[in-house]
Amino acid sequence: MLKVLSWDDKSNIKSLLNQKSSGFIPEEVTSEVRRIIEDVRIKGDMGVLEYSRKFDGIGDLRELQVSSDTLEAAAVEAGEDFIKAIRKSIENVRRYHEHTLDSSFNMVTENGSILGSRVAPLEKAAIYVPGGKASYPSTLVMCAIPAIIAGVKEIILLTPPSGGSINPYVAATAKILGVDRIFRAGGAQGIAAAAFGTETIPKVNKIVGPGNAYVAAAKREVYGFVDIDMIAGPSEIAVIADVSANASWVAADLMSQAEHDEMARCYLITDSEAFAVRVNVEIARQLSYIERKNIIKQALENNSYAIVVDDMRKAPDIINRIAPEHLEIITKNPFDLLKDINNAGAVFVGSYASEPIGDYIAGPSHVLPTYGTAAFFSPLSARDFQKRSSLIYYSKEDLEAFGPAAVKIAEAEGLNAHANALKVRLGYDR
């Protein structure tokens, strides 16, 4: 159940709001991940195979890449009902992300100089789709569609094997999307392979997609050799709800995120302690028929809170300090609160915008900043698979107008060769 705290309980509230974003990665995990990455960097395929044998039951190098026949056979298992559903998701996600692209631009000065930005897609991207406690074809959709729209030339999929093969729902989704190559390479070894390249797995420009602490630690370690989307931690949700909200619906939404992981974090911000109690009663009732009840119980009992305020106008400040991955606002006038909220990965407004509708079908990516990083990270979008180059064409007239100021700045910084490169063009005497 949610632990109920009053906003006036300053010591507990301060501790809650000061939780660190990187605290979910234990130091021993980081140390092990560094060893794995170094082994893969040096040994290539054999390094990947060593750890894939240990963790994923892969016995042979030939098993690393999923063949077209294997993909076809696995996809058939998904069934027509799933195919129809995932196609609807793909259509909605594609429609949304077509609006998230950056565009090149040029501006021309009065003296004929051209200043601009040239936008181009990344050449190669890797998508990590977790295995573990569940299968995530939706993650493949949410990562691949933005990359496809951006024009990425090659997209590879990294995913741990499911029962020795690729998960049928992931396989069917990959087939529909036309993912170029699929590898049964999970964990830190898969991340390292995509970051540095091996004989079988290509080096990419960017790695995206969520994973466990080992995957998160690996992405953190290889950042700089390759770009990443973010360091994703356990899932989290915050719900702002007043007495007008349906307690059963609020309970269901909190549980929907708690089932991801025992470390998931759930928050309810309300102005009614009685409502918080009703939500806890509903959680207890619904847990009786939910399959992943043990995971949900641990997440709710260990990491989750109901915060009772005396005025709902305090809720945006709490949210901005938590900076949650998902935020639901279920109040009489939700848009009144929304205008004061800056830090949230995805915001769901109103009673019918349940968080799982965003996970699967609405359109925006469900790859979101977690553990407070929504204060400075954004959801994954097509622009994350684009890179920008500045363009500067300078006319003689603009050089004569602005070059002297640049010379002064260069000399003030003690960079005389910089100044000289301008002076020789401006005709300054030596």
Side-chain angles (χ1 to χ4, degrees):
M1 300 301 105
L2 298 168
K3 293 183 280 292
V4 180
L5 300 177
S6 167
W7 183 241
D8 296 327
D9 186 357
K10 297 302 181 186
S11 59
N12 281 326
I13 294 293
K14 183 177 180 181
S15 174
L16 168 65
L17 297 180
N18 285 341
Q19 293 185 64
K20 300 298 182 184
S21 62
S22 61
F24 67 93
I25 304 177
E27 184 54 43
E28 59 269 23
V29 169
T30 299
S31 297
E32 184 174 356
V33 163
R34 285 174 178 160
R35 286 195 298 272
I36 294 171
I37 289 172
E38 187 64 9
D39 281 346
V40 172
R41 190 182 68 80
I42 293 170
K43 300 176 184 176
D45 275 354
M46 296 312 296
V48 177
L49 182 59
E50 176 185 343
Y51 291 102
S52 293
R53 278 175 174 162
K54 180 178 179 180
F55 298 124
D56 296 327
I58 296 293
D60 189 282
L61 274 177
R62 289 171 295 182
E63 296 177 40
L64 279 181
Q65 185 164 350
V66 177
S67 69
S68 57
D69 289 344
T70 300
L71 183 68
E72 192 79 36
V76 169
E77 294 182 41
E80 281 303 314
D81 287 345
F82 172 79
I83 298 297
K84 290 177 182 177
I86 206 69
R87 285 190 185 277
K88 288 181 181 179
S89 173
I90 289 169
E91 181 182 349
N92 287 353
V93 173
R94 185 185 298 276
R95 186 184 301 117
Y96 174 85
H97 283 283
E98 285 172 347
H99 295 280
T100 68
L101 284 167
D102 276 348
S103 300
S104 300
F105 71 87
N106 290 327
M107 54 179 282
V108 182
T109 70
E110 293 179 358
N111 290 321
S113 294
I114 301 172
L115 307 174
S117 177
R118 301 176 68 235
V119 177
L122 300 179
E123 288 210 5
K124 296 181 181 181
I127 298 170
Y128 189 92
V129 174
K133 297 183 172 74
S135 66
Y136 296 100
S138 59
T139 292
L140 180 53
V141 172
M142 296 295 180
C143 293
I145 290 295
I148 291 167
I149 288 172
V152 174
K153 294 178 176 63
E154 183 177 8
I155 299 171
I156 70 168
L157 168 61
L158 304 169
T159 187
S162 174
S165 184
I166 182 171
N167 178 277
Y169 300 113
V170 173
T173 304
K175 186 172 180 292
I176 293 168
L177 291 169
V179 173
D180 294 290
R181 288 194 274 174
I182 302 165
F183 299 96
R184 298 183 187 95
Q189 68 271 21
I191 299 297
F196 297 105
T198 71
E199 298 89 336
T200 300
I201 300 174
K203 173 177 169 53
V204 301
N205 306 115
K206 185 158 190 162
I207 302 172
V208 303
N212 61 17
Y214 287 85
V215 172
K219 287 169 71 177
R220 185 174 64 184
E221 291 299 316
V222 301
Y223 176 63
F225 296 98
V226 65
D227 192 20
I228 63 172
D229 49 354
M230 61 192 76
I231 302 166
S235 188
E236 60 191 353
I237 184 172
V239 180
I240 302 174
D242 59 20
V243 292
S244 71
N246 184 314
S248 175
W249 295 5
V250 170
D253 289 355
L254 292 167
M255 292 165 60
S256 75
Q257 294 311 292
E259 80 168 331
H260 274 295
D261 191 285
E262 295 87 349
M263 292 178 66
R265 303 195 300 180
C266 305
Y267 307 95
L268 169 64
I269 295 92
T270 182
D271 57 355
S272 167
E273 186 172 348
F275 181 79
V277 171
R278 288 206 305 276
V279 169
N280 269 337
V281 169
E282 272 298 318
I283 288 172
R285 184 184 70 81
Q286 293 178 38
L287 273 175
S288 65
Y289 58 81
I290 296 292
E291 289 183 8
R292 295 163 68 89
K293 65 182 67 179
N294 290 333
I295 295 173
I296 294 171
K297 280 183 178 179
Q298 289 187 58
L300 294 180
E301 290 172 1
N302 297 335
N303 317 311
S304 303
Y305 302 86
I307 301 172
V308 180
V309 295
D310 57 7
D311 187 335
M312 286 299 262
R313 287 175 296 183
K314 294 179 179 178
D317 177 57
I318 298 171
I319 293 301
N320 286 334
R321 293 166 72 178
I322 294 174
E325 178 187 15
H326 309 99
L327 168 64
E328 293 185 359
I329 308 176
I330 310 176
T331 60
K332 287 181 181 177
N333 300 299
F335 287 98
D336 286 349
L337 295 175
L338 177 63
K339 61 184 173 58
D340 293 321
I341 291 169
N342 297 317
N343 299 339
V347 185
F348 301 79
V349 182
S351 296
Y352 297 100
S354 175
E355 189 281 334
I357 205 70
D359 276 349
Y360 301 117
I361 207 87
S365 180
H366 74 208
V367 179
L368 301 165
T370 64
Y371 253 51
T373 60
F376 46 86
F377 276 130
S378 302
L380 190 71
S381 73
R383 67 175 60 93
D384 290 300
F385 295 94
Q386 297 176 298
K387 56 190 178 68
R388 285 149 288 278
S389 300
S390 300
L391 172 67
I392 302 170
Y393 164 78
Y394 230 55
S395 67
K396 180 181 179 182
E397 292 79 6
D398 270 338
L399 184 65
E400 289 172 346
F402 298 104
V407 169
K408 288 291 185 186
I409 296 169
E411 289 176 341
E413 292 184 350
L415 299 176
N416 293 325
H418 281 62
N420 181 65
L422 297 168
K423 286 179 176 180
V424 297
R425 286 171 169 79
L426 290 166
Y428 284 21
D429 292 333
R430 286 179 172 265

